[in-house]
Amino acid sequence: MSVLIVLDQSDNQIKKSAFEILSYGSQIAAQMGISAEALVMGTVHDDLAALGKYGVTKVHQVNNETLNHVDGQLYAKTIEAVVSLTSATVIVFSQTHTGKSVASRVAARLKAGFVAGAAGLPNTDNGFIIRKTVFSGKAFANISIHTTIKVIALNPNSVTTLLTNGTATVNQLNLTVDSSKIKITAVNKITGEIPLTEADIVVSGGRGLKGPENWGVLLDLAKVLGAATACSRPVGDAHWRPHHEHVGQTGVQVAPNLYIALGISGAIQHLAGVNRSKIMVVINKDPEAPFFKAADYGIVGDLFEIVPQMTAEIKKLKGEKSI
Amino acid sequence: MKILVCVSKTPDTTSKIAFKNANTQFDDAGVQWIINPYDEWFALVRAIEIKEKDPGTIIHLVTVGAADCDPIIRKALALGGDEAFRINADSNDSYYIAAQIAELAKQNQYDLIFTGKEAIDYNSAAIGGMIAELVDLPYISLATQFELNANTATITRELEGGEEIAEVVLPLVVSCQKGIAEQRIPNMRGIMAARTKPLNILEPIAIDTLTSIVNFELPAPKAGCKMVAADNVPELIRLLHEEAKAF
Ligand SMILES: Cc1cc2nc3c(=O)[nH]c(=O)nc-3n(C[C@H](O)[C@H](O)[C@H](O)COP(=O)(O)OP(=O)(O)OC[C@H]3O[C@@H](n4cnc5c(N)ncnc54)[C@H](O)[C@@H]3O)c2cc1C
Ligand SMILES: Nc1ncnc2c1ncn2[C@@H]1O[C@H](COP(=O)(O)O)[C@@H](O)[C@H]1O
């Protein structure tokens, strides 16, 4: 029996979200006294043996170019084959875009109970119960999975990644893969920006910035912090910022270590996309803004005065450290 | 063209989230029920736009739920769509729900099956992929654009840090989100027409429930927001750096 951890890759590289689930899956395996093994599909240039440091003993690779692009139909068949090869009883994904299009298919194919958006380790004392976020982060549900095989998709940034000093053996698998019914005609990466869903720090702006021409103060702060930028829905709707930056109930959901909200009132639909952030900071001139109820740190004041001071202060701090 | 749009009933986005019966059940006292926004604004409206361009299109709506779903499915019919199906079962298990919809899909041979990106109550983003697997069709999740050219769909889907454009020959399953269509409101004519559109109640097929909810929890309340004076920005940065260790 084993825990099989299915890794996301793109551009021939294993994605950051994969390291978290490697550690997570290994912790589940340790808890259940079974082995932790990983699966990589497609061509990757990473050192797979080194993934042992996250706790897995084996890394299987199906190095087939057809799998470089995510096609859930082909992925599900491939994963099924590897599940039977490894006698996996727990299959772990990350609840990323890839996870969302693949994990559910795998669960249906294997008729395995599925928990998407898991928030932590399962309780395996008596059955298999796992916590997930529900109502857009406003609550949790404990879900019991009844089937022998369990499929879990973990919310990114939910558990601490633990390191060991192990290495993994790499097992190349030669599986036949059908041709894809999905023809990819273009991939447009947003270059030079930190992907919002992978960022440790997010700096976000709302209608309080008054107009697109004022975004400089926000961009400067994001730059010194190495942060991704986001915005509230009206800002995206008014095209002050690109669509893909809109966070919230109907936009992107983020869970960074630090979320800084500038001139955002903190409507419930906005909070629904950001409330899994570890630390939230609010700068708003209205002391009654609802965001202060959800935040960890706040300043009541004019963002146009405060934000440049924050940037300068952080620069100073970072400068001192590098001496 | 035959399109199936999956719709689910969810609490309004401003609802207070509370639980009852020793936290085993959602407390719906005072809750306003709506069509899941992704289903209404994006999946359904995109289907209606396809029908507006090609009037021969037939749109079916399906929801798996109890009789209290009827008002939302009527509202969906008022927006557009020709016929609705309610599969009379109350379940939170994604596999159970998907298998019911897959059964309807097998009988009716749709060219397109649209779902929302996720239901805003249980946030699984699972049903679309499961239906696709159960009827063995390609699945494109998180679509932000969808164009049809005869039998080929050109779809833009969101990736982490970018987007991908794909061409797929129908039939297929698509999960829809922002960008794919613009939200609209039902008009009087639609509301009147909806009264005469068929709402068929189907009994569910026998399917195992693979998961169940043990109970719910609310997040621990925040310690409260630590306020820093506007003339003391260095203190905020110090707290973030030293206390919160946020960077
Ligand atoms: C079904 C539904 C779904 C929705 N989904 C989303 C979603 O996904 N994401 C989202 O963001 N919203 C969403 N909304 C909209 C949401 O309800 C709010 O309208 C929106 O979040 C408000 O955006 P805002 O905070 O930028 O603007 P406002 O509410 O106008 O707030 C601007 C804030 O800036 C402050 N301010 C102004 N000037 C300054 C200054 N100089 N310095 C400091 N502070 C200043 C003001 O005090 C105010 O608090 C949704 C709404 C509905 C009904
Ligand atoms: N009970 C249901 N009946 C019909 N469609 C549903 C139901 N639940 C979810 N869906 C559809 O599946 C999508 C994804 O839901 P979920 O996987 O529950 O997050 C929703 O946006 C709906 O389109």
Side-chain angles (χ1 to χ4, degrees), chain A residues 128-212:
Chain A
F128 194 101
I129 296 172
I130 189 154
R131 219 161 99 100
K132 77 174 290 275
T133 50
V134 290
F135 299 105
S136 308
K138 289 173 225 158
F140 297 99
N142 291 305
I143 311 279
S144 169
I145 305 183
H146 310 313
T147 49
T148 312
I149 299 183
K150 285 113 183 144
V151 180
I152 303 170
L154 179 74
N155 275 336
N157 259 342
S158 293
V159 298
T160 316
T161 303
L162 304 180
L163 295 180
T164 70
N165 45 23
T167 53
T169 52
V170 179
N171 182 29
Q172 292 296 338
L173 292 172
N174 213 335
L175 298 177
T176 46
V177 179
D178 303 339
S179 60
S180 178
K181 289 186 191 153
I182 299 173
K183 188 173 135 206
I184 307 294
T185 55
V187 179
N188 306 321
K189 293 268 157 148
I190 304 154
T191 50
E193 279 180 42
I194 300 157
L196 195 46
T197 47
E198 291 183 13
D200 286 328
I201 305 180
V202 174
V203 181
S204 188
R207 233 168 9 199
L209 271 99
K210 304 284 186 313

Side-chain angles (χ1 to χ4, degrees), chain A residues 95 104 114 116 132, chain B residues 5-10 36-40 43 61-66 69 73 85 87 89-94 97-98 101 114-131 139 174-176:
Chain A
Q95 179 76 337
S104 56
F114 179 39
K132 77 174 290 275
Chain B
V5 180
C6 305
V7 296
S8 71
K9 166 182 135 271
T10 55
N36 181 41
Y38 294 106
D39 309 350
E40 177 188 332
L61 308 175
V62 63
T63 194
V64 179
C69 293
I73 200 132
F85 297 87
I87 302 173
D90 208 358
S91 176
N92 296 314
D93 180 53
S94 304
I97 296 169
I101 299 172
F114 280 165
T115 74
K117 157 179 148 169
E118 68 178 43
I120 64 166
D121 50 3
Y122 297 112
N123 311 111
S124 293
I127 301 289
M130 286 189 169
I131 298 171
Y139 172 52
V174 181
S175 90
C176 306

Side-chain angles (χ1 to χ4, degrees), chain B residues 118-181:
Chain B
E118 68 178 43
I120 64 166
D121 50 3
Y122 297 112
N123 311 111
S124 293
I127 301 289
M130 286 189 169
I131 298 171
E133 189 61 35
L134 294 171
V135 297
D136 198 20
L137 289 180
Y139 172 52
I140 302 279
S141 57
L142 306 176
T144 55
Q145 279 180 58
F146 180 96
E147 297 306 328
L148 261 184
N149 190 345
N151 225 12
T152 303
T154 302
I155 308 166
T156 306
R157 81 172 191 108
E158 190 183 308
L159 300 175
E160 268 92 17
E163 58 181 32
E164 192 172 75
I165 300 170
E167 279 178 14
V168 194
V169 176
L170 306 190
L172 86 150
V173 183
V174 181
S175 90
C176 306
Q177 64 163 339
K178 191 184 158 92
I180 206 166

Side-chain angles (χ1 to χ4, degrees), chain A residues 8 15 69-73 76-77 95-98 100-102 104-109 111-117 129 131-147 181-191 195-198 200-201 225 233 236-237 243 246 248-253 257-258 260 268-269 275 277-281 283 291-302 305-306 309-311 313-314 317-318 321, chain B residues 10-19 26 33 37-38 41-42 92-95 98 117-142 154-169 171-173 177-179 182-183 207-220 222-247:
Chain A
D8 267 16
K15 297 190 78 160
H69 280 290
V70 180
D71 175 347
Q73 224 169 356
K77 283 186 193 152
Q95 179 76 337
T96 53
H97 292 5
T98 307
K100 282 177 188 166
S101 61
V102 180
S104 56
R105 284 199 85 122
V106 170
R109 188 168 185 87
K111 207 181 166 195
F114 179 39
V115 171
I129 296 172
R131 219 161 99 100
K132 77 174 290 275
T133 50
V134 290
F135 299 105
S136 308
K138 289 173 225 158
F140 297 99
N142 291 305
I143 311 279
S144 169
I145 305 183
H146 310 313
T147 49
K181 289 186 191 153
I182 299 173
K183 188 173 135 206
I184 307 294
T185 55
V187 179
N188 306 321
K189 293 268 157 148
I190 304 154
T191 50
L196 195 46
T197 47
E198 291 183 13
D200 286 328
I201 305 180
L225 284 170
R233 180 165 146 215
D237 285 351
H243 262 327
H246 149 207
Q249 180 106 60
T250 45
V252 181
Q253 271 109 48
N257 287 326
L258 176 62
I260 303 180
I268 192 158
Q269 297 93 354
N275 56 14
S277 308
K278 293 227 168 69
I279 305 282
M280 292 201 278
V281 178
I283 313 295
F291 219 134
F292 287 113
K293 291 207 175 65
D296 302 281
Y297 297 94
I299 291 183
V300 176
D302 183 347
E305 284 166 26
I306 295 185
Q309 292 181 54
M310 290 172 73
T311 307
E313 206 56 40
I314 294 163
L317 195 77
K318 295 215 164 175
K321 255 207 309 205
Chain B
T10 55
D12 172 52
T13 53
T14 56
S15 302
K16 183 172 169 357
I17 303 302
F19 303 101
F26 177 63
W33 295 101
Y38 294 106
W41 302 359
F42 309 123
N92 296 314
D93 180 53
S94 304
Y95 180 82
K117 157 179 148 169
E118 68 178 43
I120 64 166
D121 50 3
Y122 297 112
N123 311 111
S124 293
I127 301 289
M130 286 189 169
I131 298 171
E133 189 61 35
L134 294 171
V135 297
D136 198 20
L137 289 180
Y139 172 52
I140 302 279
S141 57
L142 306 176
T154 302
I155 308 166
T156 306
R157 81 172 191 108
E158 190 183 308
L159 300 175
E160 268 92 17
E163 58 181 32
E164 192 172 75
I165 300 170
E167 279 178 14
V168 194
V169 176
L172 86 150
V173 183
Q177 64 163 339
K178 191 184 158 92
E182 288 300 326
Q183 184 189 0
I207 291 289
D208 295 332
T209 298
L210 312 185
T211 62
S212 56
I213 296 177
V214 179
N215 58 11
F216 294 96
E217 290 168 40
L218 288 169
K222 286 244 174 191
C225 187
K226 214 174 235 187
M227 300 304 295
V228 176
D231 58 4
N232 201 0
V233 175
E235 174 63 5
L236 174 69
I237 302 304
R238 189 193 68 77
L239 285 169
L240 290 180
H241 185 60
E242 289 172 18
E243 184 180 85
K245 303 201 181 330
F247 59 86

